[in-house]
Amino acid sequence: MRVRRKKHCAERMENCADIWIRDPETLKGKWREAFGNSNPIHVEIGCGKGGFTAGMAEKYPDVNFVAVEVVEDIIVMAMEKIKEKGLKNVLFTNMDAANTDSIFAEGEVERIYLNFSDPWKKKKQAKRRLTHKNFLDRYKMILKDGGDIWFKTDNKQLFEFSLNSFAAEDFKMRNITLDLHNSDFEGNIMTEYEERFVSLGQPIYRLEARYVK
């Protein structure tokens, strides 16, 4: 999907400079110092417009959230949302998900969120899916022992692919549901995409995958 260019994007990004990390590699192993506390680090890869990040940061003020999004025209809206709410436990960086292991140290992250990632539907595009082995190997490097990945999607094929990927990489899965909004799972925070899918009656697939080293 093509993203519409946002007016004055560069200026708006600068207005969020206090929560925008331009050189995340410099914080590898030092993210808690950047937040100024020793709280656990949770990372959302592909934060979109920031609805999920904002909801989680409000609900869990004692967790540090790092929101990653590659497209500036999208991440700027997420940053503005956090600024408007006055939340102090969120930092942003705009980079490709393939580089996560270059900005976080081994065991620095307690949890990763993958929400409605691009399914890359063609078979030859499988390596670009965020639950492909290539990405899972990177996540395993930065997750603490017993850390986990919370994964949600509306795409059944991606969900089935991800189940197999997590199993093959020795993740222990739990809270697996094929219809999140008709399940007994409590405390779900919806993304903007999720709100749209639910309004259309589409099922949401969800799981938690824990990695014990």
Side-chain angles (χ1 to χ4, degrees), residues 1-199:
M1 182 177 67
R2 190 169 184 176
V3 178
R4 183 180 298 176
R5 297 290 298 176
K6 298 294 181 291
K7 291 183 179 180
H8 311 297
C9 183
E11 180 182 343
R12 290 164 63 185
M13 293 282 286
E14 290 295 338
N15 290 337
C16 299
D18 57 327
I19 58 173
W20 174 29
I21 306 301
R22 307 182 203 212
D23 300 304
E25 293 85 357
T26 63
L27 291 182
K28 186 172 183 176
K30 302 177 181 179
W31 283 94
R32 288 180 177 83
E33 294 180 24
F35 282 102
N37 59 56
S38 59
N39 293 337
I41 304 290
H42 289 195
V43 179
E44 184 183 10
I45 299 178
C47 70
K49 298 177 182 178
F52 179 83
T53 299
M56 291 295 285
E58 285 183 308
K59 187 172 183 178
Y60 301 103
D62 294 328
V63 173
N64 297 324
F65 292 90
V66 180
V68 178
E69 172 60 55
V70 70
V71 183
E72 287 191 0
D73 291 283
I74 295 177
I75 199 173
V76 69
M77 292 185 285
M79 292 195 295
E80 289 172 341
K81 188 169 295 181
I82 295 300
K83 294 279 286 184
E84 181 181 346
K85 290 179 176 292
L87 297 170
K88 304 299 183 183
N89 57 331
V90 185
L91 292 175
F92 291 85
T93 188
N94 54 303
M95 56 168 282
D96 192 281
N99 298 321
T100 50
D101 57 331
S102 70
I103 70 169
F104 296 106
E106 183 178 352
E108 190 172 17
V109 175
E110 183 168 297
R111 180 173 297 158
I112 295 171
Y113 301 99
L114 301 176
N115 294 317
F116 302 94
S117 310
D118 192 325
W120 296 107
K121 297 179 180 179
K122 296 180 181 178
K123 187 175 182 179
K124 64 180 180 181
Q125 297 175 322
K127 290 184 178 181
R128 305 183 73 171
R129 298 168 190 160
L130 295 188
T131 52
H132 185 274
K133 171 182 166 54
N134 292 348
F135 287 97
L136 295 186
D137 285 344
R138 292 183 171 93
Y139 306 153
K140 287 194 288 188
M141 290 177 62
I142 66 174
L143 281 171
K144 63 174 288 187
D145 189 18
D148 53 12
I149 298 173
W150 286 19
F151 173 68
K152 287 194 290 187
T153 182
D154 65 304
N155 188 284
K156 184 178 181 181
Q157 287 71 35
L158 177 60
F159 192 71
E160 292 173 347
F161 172 87
S162 301
L163 284 170
N164 290 326
S165 291
F166 284 123
E169 292 303 307
D170 296 324
F171 282 85
K172 306 302 180 184
M173 287 173 282
R174 62 181 184 177
N175 291 331
I176 300 172
T177 176
L178 305 181
D179 191 354
L180 173 60
H181 292 272
N182 285 308
S183 72
D184 58 2
F185 181 79
E186 298 180 356
N188 180 56
I189 301 294
M190 288 202 287
T191 74
E192 290 86 356
Y193 276 118
E194 188 172 354
E195 290 174 355
R196 187 198 314 168
F197 296 143
V198 171
S199 70

